[in-house]
Amino acid sequence: MELRQLRTFEAVVAHRTVTDAAVALDLAPSSVSEQIRTLERDLGVALFERGPRGMRLTAAGERLRGWARRLLDQADQARRDVAEARPVLRLGALETIAAVHVPAVLARLAERRPDLVVEVRSDGARDRLLDAVAAADLDAALLLDTGEDLGGLGFGAPAAPLAFLDLDPVPLALVAAPDHPLAAASRLRREDLYGQRLLVNVPACSFWLAGERLLGDRVERVRAGGVPVMRAWAERGLGITLLPWFAVADRVAAGALTRLAFDVPGLSLRLVWRADREALPGMREILYASAASEAVSEAAGETASETVSEALGLPPPADHGAARR
C-alpha cells in the first residue's frame, strides 16, 4: 500500500469516476485504474463497486477512506517537520463574504499563530467548497447557513464527517428603490409581497435559498446576477431584492435604496471542517482564531478559547503567542 495509491483512491472517491480523477491528478485514466486495482489486490478486498453512474465505495472502501486521510495527513506532517517548513492552513470562503468577513479571521490567525501560512481560496459555488473540505483539499471553509444542522438553509452536504461552528450573525435586508410602491409602508406582511418581482441570482445562491424560506413561491423570481447586479437593478426600480446588510448599508445611507419594513431572519457565518481532522497541528488554531470574536466571548462571559472549547468539546489549544505578549 503506497501513498500515491491512497491519493489516487481519495481522488476517485471525490470525483466518482476514473476519468475525472485522472484529470484532477493529471494522470492517464489507465494509470488511475491500475493503481486502484493494485491497491485492491494488496488489501485483498474490493474497494469500489463499478457501475454506469460511476464508482461507489464498498464497506471495505468506506473503512479505508478514514485510514487513507489519516495516513496522508501524517505523511504531510512528517515531510513538513523534517523540512522545518511553516505549517499551511487552506481556508475556503464564499466570494460573497470573502471581502468582508475573511480579513478579520486572517487578522486573528496572524495574531495567534504568526508562524502559520494561510492560503485562502474564494469560490462562488458552495458545493465546490464543501466537496473540497470533504476531500481534504481544504482544511476549512466559510459559508452562509442557518439552523442547527449543516445545510439548514436548504442545500445538501457531502457524505463526510463534517463539523461546523457559527462565528458571526449576517443580517439580511429586503430592499427596493425609494420610489417603490412598498417603500412607504410602515410594516409589511408576507401577503403584501405576493406578486412582486424578487431579483435573484442562481438557485444555489444563499440569498435565493433564504428568499425561498422567507417568501415561498408566491413571489416572482427575476434572474439578475450576483450581488452587485441585484443591488443595481433594485436601485433602478426593477424589483425588490434580499441581500446581506453589509452589501447594501452604504446605498441605503446614500438614499439610493430603501430598507423595506419586513422582518427578515438573518444567516450565520459558518465555519465548516472535517471532524476527523481536528487533531492535526494547526487545525485547532484556525477554529479558535476564527471564532475568537468579542461577541462570542462576551456573550458567554468567558475567554474566546474557553467558549470555543465548550462548543467543540475539545481542550483549549496551547497559547503559542503567550511568550510574545
Side-chain angles (χ1 to χ4, degrees):
M1 187 166 59
E2 301 176 4
L3 292 177
R4 66 188 183 97
Q5 294 169 347
L6 295 179
R7 291 192 180 93
T8 300
F9 168 79
E10 279 204 332
V12 175
V13 172
H15 296 282
R16 299 182 177 87
T17 70
V18 167
T19 300
D20 290 344
V23 171
L25 295 170
D26 196 21
L27 295 174
S30 59
S31 177
V32 171
S33 295
E34 179 57 31
Q35 288 190 45
I36 295 299
R37 285 195 296 268
T38 301
L39 183 58
E40 289 179 321
R41 284 198 301 268
D42 289 347
L43 294 173
V45 294
L47 299 173
F48 293 97
E49 294 176 356
R50 280 80 168 170
R53 296 187 178 181
M55 311 273 279
R56 295 181 58 187
L57 286 172
T58 62
E62 288 287 357
R63 291 193 293 273
L64 179 62
R65 187 177 189 175
W67 278 106
R69 180 37 40 201
R70 288 194 291 273
L71 291 169
L72 290 171
D73 284 338
Q74 288 177 346
D76 288 340
Q77 293 169 36
R79 187 179 299 109
R80 289 195 299 268
D81 184 60
V82 171
E84 296 184 342
R86 295 174 67 188
V88 177
L89 289 171
R90 302 158 300 169
L91 178 65
L94 280 177
E95 289 177 349
T96 305
I97 58 178
V100 176
H101 291 282
V102 172
V105 173
L106 296 180
R108 294 197 290 259
L109 274 170
E111 179 180 2
R112 182 172 186 86
R113 285 293 302 273
D115 60 311
L116 289 179
V117 175
V118 184
E119 297 178 352
V120 179
R121 183 195 309 173
S122 61
D123 200 312
R126 179 195 314 102
D127 289 348
R128 283 198 294 266
L129 290 175
L130 287 173
D131 287 344
V133 173
D137 292 332
L138 287 174
D139 296 312
L142 290 164
L143 47 82
L144 297 175
D145 201 1
T146 189
E148 297 184 358
D149 299 313
L150 184 62
L153 185 57
F155 58 85
L162 299 181
F164 68 87
L165 185 67
D166 288 338
L167 308 184
D168 296 303
V170 179
L172 301 180
L174 193 64
V175 296
D179 58 354
H180 191 280
L182 298 180
S186 59
R187 183 171 181 82
L188 292 171
R189 300 168 302 167
R190 188 176 184 179
E191 307 86 75
D192 297 325
L193 301 175
Y194 292 164
Q196 294 295 322
R197 293 161 53 89
L198 180 68
L199 305 172
V200 295
N201 188 3
V202 294
C205 171
S206 300
F207 313 120
W208 175 303
L209 294 175
E212 290 287 312
R213 289 168 54 89
L214 185 66
L215 304 174
D217 59 1
R218 298 285 298 276
V219 176
E220 179 188 357
R221 266 64 175 176
V222 177
R223 293 281 191 95
V227 170
V229 180
M230 288 187 281
R231 183 176 56 212
W233 284 25
E235 289 182 14
R236 286 162 175 76
L238 299 179
I240 62 177
T241 191
L242 182 65
L243 291 174
W245 177 242
F246 67 74
V248 297
D250 59 339
R251 303 305 294 158
V252 171
L257 286 171
T258 293
R259 188 172 192 172
L260 300 181
F262 185 73
D263 292 334
V264 180
L267 301 178
S268 293
L269 177 67
R270 184 162 283 182
L271 182 72
V272 182
W273 69 94
R274 279 188 67 113
D276 56 1
R277 291 169 57 82
E278 286 170 359
L280 294 181
M283 175 53 72
R284 282 186 195 174
E285 277 74 4
I286 194 173
L287 304 180
Y288 284 87
S290 298
S293 65
E294 292 182 4
V296 171
S297 303
E298 292 175 359
E302 305 166 330
T303 65
S305 290
E306 289 169 343
T307 303
V308 182
S309 296
E310 182 178 354
L312 297 176
L314 297 170
D319 191 346
H320 294 267
R324 288 182 287 273
R325 292 197 295 272

